[in-house]
Amino acid sequence: MRNIHHAAALSGNGQAPHLEPANLATARLWQHQTLRRCDAIQDSIEHLVTERGLTESVAEHATLQAFAELEGINKHHRIDVDASTSRLLILRTPAGERVALTITDLLALVAPTSLAEKGLTFQPVGHRLLVLSRAEH
C-alpha cells in the first residue's frame, strides 16, 4: 500500500502535495470504514469524482484497489500477480501453496445460485460496477 501524505505536510511553495488517487481513496475509505462495503465504495467513488475532479473510471480503479488493500490487512493469502493472467488467477496460501482458478472456475463461484447458498449477492455501484455483498434479510 502506498504512503498517505498528510495535508498538513506542505511543500516549499505553501501548497499541500498532490495526492495520488489511490491515497485519496484510501483516506476516504478509512474515514467511512463503518459503512457497508458497497456503500463505502460508492461514497469514495462519488467523492473522488465530485470533490477531486477524477473521472469515474479512475475513481473506480483507485477505490477498488484501495478497498482491496485495506481489506487485505492482516490477511496472509495473496494474489500472485506475476503468475496470474487475464484468464487465470493464482492465489498464494500462507503455506506457499498455489491455488489456480480459471475464468470458468471464477464464473462458477460467482454464479447466482452459488452466491445465494453463501448468503451473498452482487450490489450495483455506479453505472457498470457490481460489488459482492452480504444478502440483506
Side-chain angles (χ1 to χ4, degrees):
M1 187 163 59
R2 296 179 178 104
N3 293 330
I4 298 174
H5 303 286
H6 296 283
L10 300 177
S11 62
N13 62 8
Q15 299 290 320
H18 174 72
L19 298 178
E20 293 183 27
N23 290 343
L24 294 168
T26 300
R28 186 67 179 193
L29 290 166
W30 188 260
Q31 292 172 345
H32 296 93
Q33 56 188 306
T34 58
L35 293 177
R36 291 180 324 134
R37 171 188 261 213
C38 57
D39 294 336
I41 290 170
Q42 179 69 45
D43 174 79
S44 176
I45 293 168
E46 287 176 1
H47 173 77
L48 294 178
V49 170
T50 60
E51 302 296 323
R52 299 299 184 151
L54 300 178
T55 66
E56 186 175 0
S57 175
V58 170
E60 279 182 4
H61 187 76
T63 295
L64 292 173
Q65 286 190 337
F67 189 87
E69 288 292 333
L70 290 171
E71 189 177 69
I73 292 174
N74 297 323
K75 303 276 190 310
H76 299 289
H77 289 77
R78 67 179 182 82
I79 296 171
D80 187 337
V81 295
D82 294 326
S84 298
T85 70
S86 62
R87 291 184 175 76
L88 173 69
L89 178 69
I90 301 291
L91 298 174
R92 292 258 183 195
T93 70
E97 298 167 321
R98 297 180 335 148
V99 178
L101 298 168
T102 66
I103 194 72
T104 301
D105 299 331
L106 292 169
L107 290 171
L109 290 172
V110 299
T113 54
S114 178
L115 292 178
E117 292 170 357
K118 297 173 185 76
L120 300 171
T121 185
F122 280 112
Q123 295 293 317
V125 174
H127 304 292
R128 302 174 317 266
L129 181 62
L130 297 174
V131 176
L132 198 58
S133 180
R134 290 257 168 236
E136 307 238 357
H137 292 51

